[in-house]
Amino acid sequence: MAAAPSADAALLKTPLYDLHVELGARMVPFAGYSMPVQYPAGLIAEHRHTRAAAGLFDISHMGQLRLAGPDAAAALETLMPVDVIGLAPGKQRYGLLLNDEGGILDDLMFFNEGNDSLFVVVNGACKQADIALIQQKIGSRCQVLPMPGHALLALQGPQAAAVLERLAPGIGRFVFMTGGAVRIGGVPAFATRSGYTGEDGFEISVKAEDAERLARLLLAQPEVQPIGLGARNSLRLEAGLCLYGNDLDATTTPVEAALTWAIQKVRRSGGERAGGFPGADRVLGQLDGTIPVQRKRVGLAALERVPVREPAALHVPGGEAVGSVTSGLLGPSLDKPVAMGYVPPALAAPGTRIDALVRGKPVPMEVAPMPFVPARYHRG
């Protein structure tokens, strides 16, 4: 009788799986994949190394696709409250797929490659649903071309640019949210100067069969160490960046999530292409104040050295529950607990005192500006 398959057998593997195992990574399930949560150095050391030098992340679980055709930009713009048509070739922008109630189905990045082609990166846990939605909604207006044969790496940290300039001379010309085709140590790739750590860095799309060669080349550089999902999470939280499924979901609007900066003027009320996206009435109403906002995403700093993790309840000191923590941990760069959560707008001002309930005991916190650690994106 054959043995029953293990739970791990059902997990997908990225092209770098064998390399992670070789490097001693602790592998965990994430977004349907077996992914490295940390390496032998540990989460805190990996986090601090990324802030000081350069960390290499495997983010191949993310979804990559292209939208091709002369109507691609206009078509994609019907799904999001952002300016797609006006994005210049060679530039990248943050976007939000919305449902008919204005809730966030996913957050993503899109890049104008020129020649009527958009390169799109979506979250791993959402990619199948995202691709199906995009195909259903705009597949008649442009080609929707998933890229399952590609891996995605991120090289992040203040020395990332120097490392890549050594291997791909001229790549340093890219500034934050720009990119293009490159060869890194002879490996053909597509790189954007972007990432999700708050640090300068690059995300690199490469064919799956070239991924291990590229990763080994990068890890051979003295500044670079492998970094797992644990440190990626702590880095993005210190940077005030949202994790889909924690800080964003289909019940949360961009206004509630404090992502109004991602909605350009041209798509707002009175703009040249105002509305025309799912949930526009609600989102634009919340933006102009005609529809009340019931909650708002805020940063929270603990006033005691007690880590506060999701989904801890948030209370008015000595009083009623008013919200919950959606992401929280001890910030390695700050050496103090930080979190994000949702509270009523009346409690969203910096300095407002709020208690988080941890194991039945109130932990004093205060609303704090984000990012907790200043961003160091290279804007030229």
Side-chain angles (χ1 to χ4, degrees), residues 13-99:
K13 297 176 180 178
T14 76
L16 297 182
Y17 174 86
D18 290 341
L19 178 59
H20 298 315
V21 173
E22 177 187 321
L23 295 172
R26 181 159 69 86
M27 307 299 287
V28 299
F30 185 80
Y33 285 78
S34 181
M35 297 291 290
V37 67
Q38 66 180 56
Y39 297 86
L43 186 156
I44 292 175
E46 292 172 25
H47 177 112
R48 291 176 175 164
H49 181 85
T50 304
R51 289 266 187 254
L56 182 65
F57 301 77
D58 180 9
I59 52 173
S60 302
H61 63 293
M62 306 282 276
Q64 302 179 65
L65 61 150
R66 281 196 169 88
L67 306 180
D71 203 27
L76 182 59
E77 191 170 278
T78 65
L79 304 182
M80 303 193 296
V82 302
D83 178 8
V84 183
I85 293 172
L87 183 66
K91 294 193 174 182
Q92 188 175 47
R93 183 164 283 163
Y94 178 78
L96 299 160
L97 286 176
L98 301 185
N99 61 25

Side-chain angles (χ1 to χ4, degrees), residues 56-332:
L56 182 65
F57 301 77
D58 180 9
I59 52 173
S60 302
H61 63 293
M62 306 282 276
Q64 302 179 65
L65 61 150
R66 281 196 169 88
L67 306 180
D71 203 27
L76 182 59
E77 191 170 278
T78 65
L79 304 182
M80 303 193 296
V82 302
D83 178 8
V84 183
I85 293 172
L87 183 66
K91 294 193 174 182
Q92 188 175 47
R93 183 164 283 163
Y94 178 78
L96 299 160
L97 286 176
L98 301 185
N99 61 25
D100 290 340
E101 291 72 48
I104 300 169
L105 295 173
D106 199 9
D107 60 339
L108 55 81
M109 302 293 282
F110 63 99
F111 182 95
N112 184 351
E113 297 183 288
N115 299 314
D116 298 326
S117 178
L118 299 173
F119 171 62
V120 183
V121 178
V122 300
N123 281 302
C126 304
K127 65 182 176 184
Q128 300 302 332
D130 288 355
I131 292 170
L133 174 74
I134 292 169
Q135 181 66 58
Q136 175 196 348
K137 296 289 188 181
I138 64 172
S140 63
R141 297 180 58 180
C142 62
Q143 289 182 282
V144 180
L145 306 169
M147 300 167 60
H150 281 69
L152 194 63
L153 310 182
L155 188 69
Q156 300 284 292
Q159 295 180 25
V163 168
L164 283 178
E165 184 66 27
R166 186 185 309 145
L167 299 171
I171 199 171
R173 70 186 186 279
F174 295 147
V175 296
F176 183 55
M177 300 294 267
T178 71
V182 294
R183 295 186 74 87
I184 303 172
V187 179
F190 178 84
T192 61
R193 198 156 192 172
S194 61
Y196 221 61
T197 62
E199 294 291 334
D200 184 21
F202 297 78
E203 292 194 347
I204 306 163
S205 176
V206 61
K207 287 183 178 179
E209 58 264 32
D210 293 330
E212 184 173 332
R213 176 183 162 202
L214 177 58
R216 288 185 183 277
L217 178 62
L218 293 170
L219 289 169
Q221 308 308 307
E223 303 93 337
V224 181
Q225 290 184 9
I227 311 296
L229 291 177
R232 180 173 165 85
N233 184 53
S234 57
L235 289 158
R236 69 90 195 165
L237 177 53
E238 288 187 344
L241 300 170
C242 296
L243 175 64
Y244 192 84
N246 283 45
D247 312 298
L248 307 176
D249 61 29
T251 71
T252 308
T253 70
V255 182
E256 294 166 346
L259 296 174
T260 55
W261 57 267
I263 305 176
Q264 287 76 34
K265 185 177 180 181
V266 70
R267 305 304 310 280
R268 300 185 181 211
S269 298
E272 182 184 342
R273 299 191 307 282
F277 54 86
D281 289 348
R282 184 181 182 200
V283 172
L284 296 181
Q286 288 182 339
L287 271 173
D288 63 26
T290 58
I291 296 177
V293 175
Q294 302 299 322
R295 57 182 182 145
K296 186 176 180 182
R297 179 175 66 93
V298 296
L300 298 162
L303 301 178
E304 295 179 356
R305 196 178 163 80
V306 178
V308 177
R309 304 186 187 281
E310 65 275 7
L314 297 171
H315 289 250
V316 173
E320 63 182 352
V322 292
S324 62
V325 169
T326 53
S327 289
L329 45 71
L330 182 69

Side-chain angles (χ1 to χ4, degrees), residues 303 313-322 343 347 351-357 362-367:
L303 301 178
L314 297 171
H315 289 250
V316 173
E320 63 182 352
V322 292
V343 299
L347 300 175
T352 302
R353 278 273 289 102
I354 294 178
D355 285 344
L357 210 59
V363 174
M365 308 190 83
E366 67 178 15
V367 176

